[in-house]
Amino acid sequence: MVPGFIDMHSHSDNTILIYPESSSKIRQGVTTEVVGNCGVSMAPVGKDGLELLKKFVDQYFPPGLSYLLDWNWRSLRDYYRIVETVKPAVNLVPLVGHHTLRIAVMGFEARDPTDSELNEMKKLLEEEMQNGMWGGLSTGLFYAPGSYAKTGGEVIELAKVVRRYGGIYASHIRDEARGVLSAIEEAIRIGREAGVSVQISHIKAMGKAQWGLSTRIIGIINEARMEGLDVHADVYPYDAGQTALLQALPDWAKEGGTDGGALGRLMNDEVAEKIRVEMEEGKMKGQNFVYELGWENIIIAATELGERDIEGKSIREIAGREGKRPFDVFREVLIRNRGNVSMIIRAMSEDDIVNFIKQDFIYIGSDQNGIRPGYGPLGGKQHPRAYGTFPRVIRRYALEKGVISLGGRPLQK
């Protein structure tokens, strides 16, 4: 017998009203999930920002989920009151999402907030903290619109709000590939200057050029911990991740949101060609899935239209079958699915995963919601971490590799 596991990085806040049984988590022994990660929470909702937020949430797995919800809430407090009525099978620890705050106050604009807009975001965050959303603040600084935020003028100021309530700062950092070291340092800087604990989300070194950087990443974190900063991270035990296909676009192409910006740019042949060149030739700023990983490592997981003939196949494989350029497949599948497509990306090395898992500042997180693969009306291909994260840690890393004990303590240094 073991106590219930805590999933330190979950996205079940996107699914809990539809699948309150959380079958994939319960079957793993998970009884508590930290939700609202990567800057994405279900509220607060601004008076003019509901459609933008729904569309933003729809990018994430499973795509199209928002169409099944009535969105009759405006605050996280009200949302979780509704959640309580469906009697969820798991406990939820909510974080307030930075994307959600930004969308509520300033939409999907690629600019700094005005003083009044920043004050409004701080006010909304404080209200949620006062009303029981004590987990803290999460960011997804790789994703737009959070990627438009500056470290000092916005993120640190928001993190200072949660300090007053004992909350943490959790972050999907700005770059998990070529800029991963500076992105780790940015997260630590935010914790240091705001005076809050830091949780680095699904820590990794993405792309072959970065494989082996786990040792340097661990060194940076340990230096901060020796300084007295409370820095932790979570990891999932797989060499592939999952996210929205739309996030492969350059930042500038995502301004305005899905309908108001990204899809329109993809429909424009001239703009689309500019996007293709940036993606394929490594000219775009920030993390670049296509250049770092290649089209062969970008796999269609789930589509709004339920396109079973392409789900589970790489974009390069689909392109070869259809006699098209990979970018054209990418472009077409996003347009016909209104942007609601998730992808699985093969990106990490096993050696780095082992190195992270054996650190005593590491927690385990699934980075996934609480449903079985292919379960319910949305279908698609779920990442195996949705139902196998904790059994895999026990079998592969405790029993087979001996990296950690069954009690979770590192056995190797």
Side-chain angles (χ1 to χ4, degrees), residues 112-300:
D112 296 336
T114 64
D115 288 345
S116 62
E117 287 169 336
L118 179 59
N119 287 334
E120 181 62 20
M121 282 192 276
K122 291 165 73 173
K123 177 184 175 184
L124 289 172
L125 176 57
E126 183 139 28
E127 287 174 353
E128 296 290 10
M129 298 296 291
Q130 288 174 342
N131 289 326
M133 304 303 114
W134 48 266
L137 171 72
S138 80
T139 61
L141 296 180
F142 161 66
Y143 300 113
S147 56
Y148 305 140
K150 288 190 172 65
T151 309
E154 181 173 340
V155 183
I156 290 173
E157 291 306 306
L158 289 169
K160 288 177 180 177
V161 173
V162 304
R163 175 184 61 195
R164 298 196 289 272
Y165 300 90
I168 68 168
Y169 171 72
S171 183
H172 178 143
I173 57 176
R174 206 175 289 269
D175 193 333
E176 295 177 325
R178 291 179 187 265
V180 64
L181 298 180
S182 61
I184 293 283
E185 290 170 346
E186 178 188 27
I188 292 170
R189 175 194 164 192
I190 292 165
R192 179 187 293 112
E193 295 190 23
V196 294
S197 298
V198 174
Q199 179 77 13
I200 297 169
S201 298
H202 40 60
I203 196 167
K204 61 175 68 76
M206 179 182 290
K208 285 187 177 180
Q210 283 65 247
W211 289 1
L213 279 182
S214 57
T215 299
R216 291 182 64 186
I217 293 170
I218 291 164
I220 292 171
I221 293 172
N222 277 330
E223 284 181 14
R225 287 166 61 84
M226 290 176 64
E227 182 187 331
L229 300 177
D230 189 23
V231 183
H232 295 83
D234 55 75
V235 68
Y236 50 80
Y238 296 93
D239 62 6
Q242 185 172 2
T243 190
L245 183 64
L246 202 67
Q247 296 303 333
L249 291 170
D251 248 9
W252 61 266
K254 293 178 276 192
E255 183 178 5
T258 305
D259 293 332
L263 292 182
R265 294 182 182 100
L266 285 171
M267 291 177 191
N268 182 305
D269 290 344
E270 184 176 342
V271 178
E273 181 61 15
K274 180 183 177 184
I275 291 170
R276 183 196 68 79
V277 169
E278 287 197 15
M279 291 169 62
E280 294 187 341
E281 298 182 10
K283 295 181 178 179
M284 63 183 266
K285 294 180 180 179
Q287 185 174 306
N288 185 334
F289 288 116
V290 173
Y291 187 73
E292 294 286 352
L293 308 178
W295 290 113
E296 65 275 13
N297 289 313
I298 298 176
I299 299 161
I300 302 297

Side-chain angles (χ1 to χ4, degrees), residues 12-205:
S12 290
D13 43 349
N14 292 355
T15 56
I16 198 69
L17 288 181
I18 298 170
Y19 306 108
E21 67 273 24
S22 299
S23 58
S24 66
K25 298 298 179 70
I26 289 295
R27 292 180 182 196
Q28 296 181 66
V30 171
T31 56
T32 299
E33 303 183 53
V34 181
V35 296
N37 280 290
C38 298
V40 187
S41 59
M42 301 299 281
V45 181
K47 64 178 181 179
D48 300 319
L50 176 57
E51 290 307 312
L52 270 177
L53 180 60
K54 288 171 66 174
K55 197 67 179 177
F56 184 75
V57 170
D58 275 340
Q59 294 178 34
Y60 296 89
F61 37 91
L65 178 74
S66 287
Y67 304 131
L68 304 179
L69 302 174
D70 58 19
W71 290 83
N72 58 345
W73 62 85
R74 288 299 176 269
S75 70
L76 278 177
R77 176 181 62 177
D78 291 341
Y79 175 70
Y80 283 105
R81 282 176 174 168
I82 297 171
V83 168
E84 287 175 0
T85 68
V86 300
K87 296 180 170 55
V90 291
N91 302 303
L92 300 175
V93 177
L95 300 170
V96 183
H98 173 234
H99 294 305
T100 306
L101 291 170
R102 235 183 186 259
I103 290 170
V105 173
M106 53 188 299
F108 235 90
E109 296 187 34
R111 61 174 177 82
D112 296 336
T114 64
D115 288 345
S116 62
E117 287 169 336
L118 179 59
N119 287 334
E120 181 62 20
M121 282 192 276
K122 291 165 73 173
K123 177 184 175 184
L124 289 172
L125 176 57
E126 183 139 28
E127 287 174 353
E128 296 290 10
M129 298 296 291
Q130 288 174 342
N131 289 326
M133 304 303 114
W134 48 266
L137 171 72
S138 80
T139 61
L141 296 180
F142 161 66
Y143 300 113
S147 56
Y148 305 140
K150 288 190 172 65
T151 309
E154 181 173 340
V155 183
I156 290 173
E157 291 306 306
L158 289 169
K160 288 177 180 177
V161 173
V162 304
R163 175 184 61 195
R164 298 196 289 272
Y165 300 90
I168 68 168
Y169 171 72
S171 183
H172 178 143
I173 57 176
R174 206 175 289 269
D175 193 333
E176 295 177 325
R178 291 179 187 265
V180 64
L181 298 180
S182 61
I184 293 283
E185 290 170 346
E186 178 188 27
I188 292 170
R189 175 194 164 192
I190 292 165
R192 179 187 293 112
E193 295 190 23
V196 294
S197 298
V198 174
Q199 179 77 13
I200 297 169
S201 298
H202 40 60
I203 196 167
K204 61 175 68 76

